[in-house]
Amino acid sequence: MTPKQFLEFMRKNKSEMMDLKFVDLLGTWQHCSFPIDVLDEGTFTEGLGFDGSSIRGWQGIHMSDMLAIPDPHTAVLDPFFAKPTVSVIANIVDPVTREDYTRDPRFVARKAEAFLKSTGIADTAYCGPEPEFFIFDEVRFEQSQNTAMYKIDSVEGAWNSARFEEPNLGYKPSFKGGYFPVSPTDTYHDLRGEMVEEMKKVGIVVEAHHHEVATAGQSEIDMRFAPLLKMADQLMWYKYICKNVARRHGKTVTFMPKPIFEDNGSGMHTHFSLWKGGKPLFAGKGYAGLSDLALHAIGGILRHAPAILAFAAPTTNSYRRLVPGFEAPVNLCMSARNRSASCRIPMYSSSPKAKRVEFRCPDPSCNPYLTFPAILMAAIDGIKHKIDPGEPLDRDIYEMTPEELADTRKTPGSLPEAIAALEADHEFLLAGNVFTDDLVEAWVAWKKDKEIDPIRLRPVPYEFHLYYDS
């Protein structure tokens, strides 16, 4: 869509307002709306100004002026405004140099796609994330000098089996008992269906939706795979739509990885493959029907997985999920069908087009514009250096002894470990200037100063249970 076509699209849909969206360093959409009267074709080259010092992880106040350049190819009608409004995703540039901003995550995704083509290895990286999320009825939380608490509630919560509900009809999914139940146990079929309809309106192709394993409304909606940048854009729409449809119905959605104690967390298993000239490159005659190129790509992902997780599992809460016992993929190895392995090769289809690797460690709190490129850069590094993925783990890990598992590397046990891994291992990300030292340093500094240290310094409620009477 050209700028002229964009403006015609607005008029055709009787839209008097354009909503400009861009993503901050941590992966949250920001927005500002502009009347059609102030827009012209020059807007798409000159950009629209904003204060970059007010965006997390971006500019200092002494260099705050930034420009957002709308990408007309991303234009859609926004489903959540009362009057017709066209939403468009923007790229960020420096107003003085007119260069793309290195800390704009969408720029990283654009560079990753360009770098892949420049290598000659492939021309397209397909990503197919499976974000999981919880639908709650209420959430309350507080943190002050003398108080720390949170409380979540859900009509589906197993803990509400005895609650007075006038009447309580039962049908509460048990802990770890929420996978694929029909109604009336699954009370959110219609709500997820509404989310799917809104996704279709903005061009997202949905393959399935269902209740997930955990109690209390854990759900999943699966999108069809798409090229890396397009899928990152779609994932932002996905989260926006899920949250706003839930709000329509007095519900709240969270993509926080582990909101419920002693039940499964929310992951984002990410399917990944490389294609060239319209042909898949991952199919072959090796293990699980994979090509040598695919096996080397997996080798790169496994070698760099701890550093990737600094972006792909980017919160302290992520490591409440990445623990043994809750279907979490904590073993850095590959396997056909084994869901305890971090790199699984799905075996649902024998078609070469379906051959892919499923990297199971990421969670939906991540920034997709950084996570998908990090996976791609690790795969490219593995292909270039012919990294061996090691022997597959095709046994049930719960039947293996600690001695048998001793040689299998594990995912980091905490966000500080993942950040340390990124600091020690990020050269593979810098190839082709896809990631920059500036962005990596800003990410590390934010995580240490704004998340790791504040949580490290605060007592948590369970410590009172353990230690108050010491």
Side-chain angles (χ1 to χ4, degrees), residues 18-336:
M18 177 187 78
D19 194 61
L20 185 78
K21 294 177 169 68
F22 61 88
V23 66
D24 70 9
L25 185 65
L26 301 184
T28 300
W29 254 352
Q30 314 294 315
H31 84 128
C32 185
S33 296
F34 301 86
I36 192 172
D37 300 347
V38 305
L39 306 175
D40 56 32
E41 292 183 41
T43 302
F44 295 83
T45 53
E46 296 167 9
L48 297 156
F50 68 96
D51 175 8
S53 69
S54 295
I55 305 300
R56 297 182 299 178
W58 280 11
Q59 295 290 82
I61 197 168
H62 62 296
M63 297 177 66
S64 59
D65 288 355
M66 301 295 290
L67 285 174
I69 310 291
D71 181 349
H73 301 290
T74 65
V76 295
L77 275 173
D78 196 297
F80 300 107
F81 292 110
K83 294 185 177 181
T85 300
V86 173
S87 274
V88 61
I89 301 173
N91 298 314
I92 310 302
V93 303
D94 185 290
V96 177
T97 66
R98 302 297 299 188
E99 293 180 350
D100 288 287
Y101 184 45
T102 58
R103 296 189 192 179
D104 173 14
R106 195 167 190 266
F107 183 38
V108 176
R110 290 160 55 208
K111 287 188 290 183
E113 289 193 325
F115 177 67
L116 174 64
K117 292 177 182 177
S118 75
T119 65
I121 293 170
D123 53 37
T124 306
Y126 282 112
C127 296
E130 299 176 346
E132 298 167 344
F133 55 93
F134 282 89
I135 304 168
F136 293 140
D137 289 282
E138 183 181 32
V139 57
R140 293 186 289 124
F141 49 90
E142 181 181 7
Q143 176 67 65
S144 62
Q145 287 180 305
N146 70 319
T147 303
M149 62 80 65
Y150 73 88
K151 186 175 179 63
I152 55 177
D153 207 1
S154 167
V155 68
E156 282 195 358
W159 55 83
N160 281 326
S161 60
R163 185 171 68 174
F164 184 67
E165 293 182 351
E166 301 187 55
N168 189 324
L169 300 177
Y171 299 119
K172 314 290 187 187
S174 61
F175 292 103
K176 295 191 179 186
Y179 192 64
F180 274 29
V182 298
S183 60
T185 301
D186 177 7
T187 65
Y188 288 128
H189 174 87
D190 289 338
L191 186 61
R192 291 193 308 270
E194 187 174 330
M195 293 171 181
V196 169
E197 287 304 309
E198 297 296 359
M199 289 180 191
K200 289 166 64 177
K201 290 178 185 177
V202 300
I204 296 174
V205 179
V206 173
E207 294 187 327
H209 74 82
H210 58 86
H211 205 289
E212 256 299 339
V213 173
T215 189
Q218 191 184 35
S219 295
E220 181 178 316
I221 300 172
D222 294 332
M223 298 176 280
R224 180 175 295 175
F225 65 90
L228 186 150
L229 177 62
K230 181 177 181 181
M231 181 51 75
D233 288 343
Q234 287 187 174
L235 185 55
M236 298 304 297
W237 275 109
Y238 178 109
K239 295 172 78 168
Y240 177 74
I241 287 168
C242 289
K243 290 177 181 179
N244 280 283
V245 169
R247 191 176 186 277
R248 278 180 184 168
H249 295 270
K251 308 285 186 180
T252 177
V253 157
T254 182
F255 292 91
M256 183 178 177
K258 186 77 170 184
I260 297 178
F261 175 53
E262 291 190 326
D263 207 343
N264 284 33
S266 292
M268 191 182 76
H269 309 145
T270 299
H271 297 255
F272 173 80
S273 64
L274 297 176
W275 291 51
K276 188 175 184 179
K279 296 180 179 180
L281 301 181
F282 273 19
K285 297 181 180 180
Y287 173 76
L290 293 174
S291 64
D292 288 342
L293 181 141
L295 290 168
H296 293 146
I298 293 172
I301 292 170
L302 291 174
R303 173 172 292 184
H304 299 296
I308 296 171
L309 290 185
F311 296 111
T315 70
T316 58
N317 185 255
S318 299
Y319 300 88
R320 312 283 190 246
R321 166 188 170 253
L322 284 177
V323 295
F326 296 91
E327 297 187 18
V330 297
N331 298 288
L332 293 178
C333 57
M334 70 172 179
S335 177

Side-chain angles (χ1 to χ4, degrees), residues 294-460:
L295 290 168
H296 293 146
I298 293 172
I301 292 170
L302 291 174
R303 173 172 292 184
H304 299 296
I308 296 171
L309 290 185
F311 296 111
T315 70
T316 58
N317 185 255
S318 299
Y319 300 88
R320 312 283 190 246
R321 166 188 170 253
L322 284 177
V323 295
F326 296 91
E327 297 187 18
V330 297
N331 298 288
L332 293 178
C333 57
M334 70 172 179
S335 177
R337 305 176 68 181
N338 190 340
R339 281 173 163 77
S340 64
S342 58
C343 285
R344 186 178 77 93
I345 298 89
M347 303 299 288
Y348 300 124
S349 171
S350 60
S351 169
K353 294 183 177 180
K355 194 56 65 177
R356 61 199 187 273
V357 59
E358 178 191 27
F359 186 42
R360 295 175 60 81
C361 298
D363 69 56
S365 67
C366 73
N367 183 338
Y369 297 104
L370 301 179
T371 295
F372 299 158
I375 296 170
L376 172 60
M377 296 303 287
I380 291 173
D381 189 64
I383 293 166
K384 283 186 171 182
H385 295 96
K386 293 182 167 48
I387 297 175
D388 184 351
E391 292 299 314
L393 181 66
D394 289 332
R395 293 179 56 189
D396 184 341
I397 64 166
Y398 301 111
E399 295 179 353
M400 296 175 67
T401 66
E403 291 75 22
E404 289 174 314
L405 280 169
D407 293 333
T408 301
R409 294 167 59 233
K410 299 295 188 290
T411 54
S414 66
L415 182 59
E417 287 183 33
I419 291 297
L422 177 63
E423 289 182 291
D425 175 31
H426 61 266
E427 285 297 319
F428 73 99
L429 297 172
L430 305 180
N433 205 38
V434 173
F435 285 75
T436 61
D437 282 317
D438 171 67
L439 185 144
V440 173
E441 289 167 4
W443 184 266
V444 168
W446 182 278
K447 291 293 171 179
K448 287 182 176 180
D449 297 343
K450 305 295 186 181
E451 298 179 32
I452 293 170
D453 283 350
I455 287 179
R456 180 174 59 84
L457 293 171
R458 283 167 168 78
V460 299

Side-chain angles (χ1 to χ4, degrees), residues 3-14:
K4 181 178 180 179
Q5 290 170 331
F6 177 92
L7 295 171
E8 290 173 352
F9 179 73
M10 287 190 69
R11 297 186 185 99
K12 178 182 177 181
N13 287 283
K14 299 181 180 179

